[in-house]
Structures are given as structure tokens and as C-alpha cells.
Amino acid sequence: MQDSKEPSLRVRALRHLARREYTRQELSRLLAPHAESEDEVTQILDDFSQRGWLSETRAAEQMVHARRGRYGPARIRRDLEAKGVPAEVVSSTLATLKDSELENALAVWRRKFRETAANAADRAKQARFLMGRGFSSEVITKLLRGLSRGEIGKKAGTETGD
């Protein structure tokens, strides 16, 4: 039999979890091709959850931490929901992003554009870019207005030699 050469389902799951946090849905999808039955996967995932080895909250926090410098809350919410994170975990995890959304939007804007928009078409282009990255229209408006008035750039340390 080839069972002696192939790692068990439990070992496979532990190897995945040793690399990074996974949601229950992700880990189930990874293990399913190697399982004899769906019940076997469910049993292992239940055991891992009970032991604290598999945590939706930790997986969500890790995803938010990895994406917060590139994406806004709307995009991160969509990504978390696509990974199968429960709605209550998504809401509680994203609550931490609201305070720093403007700073994150500024950082994303800086990496892409670096200078304020010269006209309405450029402002619209910048707004569409930020909207696609998942930032709210309120934050985008505040950011672009602040940049054009010179209020935000100075606070963020973009002033040139004093």
C-alpha cells in the first residue's frame, strides 16, 4: 500500500498550519483531494479547532495584517468572506481598520501617484484607483481634498526641507 509513503491527512493539515493560519474552508479544500471521505476531513478540522490549532479569528487577523498596507476595508472584507470567514469574525476584525483607513489610503496613494492631481480627470483616476483598492468614498474624498489643499501631505511628512 502507498499509505506508508504518503503522509496522513492529519500530518498534511499540520504541515499547512505550520506555514500559516488557514480558515476552516481553506484547509478543508486543501485536504479534500487526499481524504477518503468528507467525514474524515470534518473530524480532523473539529479536533484541530477544539485544540485551538485552527482558528478563524487568527486566520482573519493574519489576512488583515497582510493586506492592510495595500487594500481598504471593503476589499479586505470581500477577501475574508471569499475565504469562508464567518461574518461576525469579519466584522470584529475589520473594526480595527476604521481608525487607520485614511493613513492606509495615503500610503497606497503615495506608492502609486506620489504627486497631487493636476486636474479633475487625474483626480477621478486617483479616486477610481483607491475605490478599486477597497477604500470608502468618504475616505477617498477626504484624502484627495486634503492633498489638494496641502493639509494631508504636510502631516504625513512629505514637506520638503525646512
Side-chain angles (χ1 to χ4, degrees):
M1 244 183 158
Q2 290 183 341
D3 284 26
S4 61
K5 293 183 181 179
E6 284 193 28
S8 71
L9 206 55
R10 186 175 210 76
V11 170
R12 283 180 191 275
L14 284 172
R15 285 182 182 165
H16 285 297
L17 288 172
R19 285 186 223 123
R20 73 170 176 91
E21 296 290 341
Y22 284 88
T23 63
R24 187 178 183 92
Q25 179 181 329
E26 285 180 301
L27 198 53
S28 176
R29 184 182 46 78
L30 289 170
L31 297 176
H34 306 284
E36 292 178 15
S37 71
E38 194 175 309
D39 291 339
E40 186 181 13
V41 173
T42 303
Q43 185 180 7
I44 289 173
L45 296 180
D46 288 344
D47 181 42
F48 282 16
S49 293
Q50 195 173 35
R51 293 175 186 252
W53 296 347
L54 180 64
S55 169
E56 301 284 344
T57 304
R58 280 197 316 264
E61 288 170 354
Q62 183 184 42
M63 283 186 252
V64 167
H65 180 73
R67 288 170 171 77
R68 75 182 310 153
R70 292 174 294 172
Y71 301 110
R75 169 73 181 265
I76 294 171
R77 175 182 296 278
R78 188 180 73 212
D79 291 349
L80 289 171
E81 289 170 351
K83 300 267 186 191
V85 177
E88 62 274 358
V89 175
V90 171
S91 296
S92 66
T93 307
L94 287 179
T96 61
L97 285 181
K98 280 297 176 192
D99 298 336
S100 61
E101 187 178 3
L102 183 61
E103 292 83 18
N104 293 341
L106 177 60
V108 169
W109 177 87
R110 271 211 184 107
R111 279 194 296 276
K112 176 73 174 177
F113 298 106
R114 298 190 182 149
E115 48 186 64
T116 57
N119 55 42
D122 288 344
R123 265 191 306 283
K125 178 181 177 181
Q126 292 177 3
R128 280 191 308 272
F129 172 77
L130 291 169
M131 187 82 57
R133 288 295 179 114
F135 293 100
S136 68
S137 56
E138 177 186 322
V139 167
I140 293 169
T141 303
K142 188 185 289 187
L143 173 67
L144 295 179
R145 280 190 183 147
L147 287 166
S148 66
R149 294 177 183 160
E151 298 167 359
I152 291 183
K154 289 180 182 154
K155 289 180 188 174
T158 59
E159 65 269 0
T160 54
D162 282 322

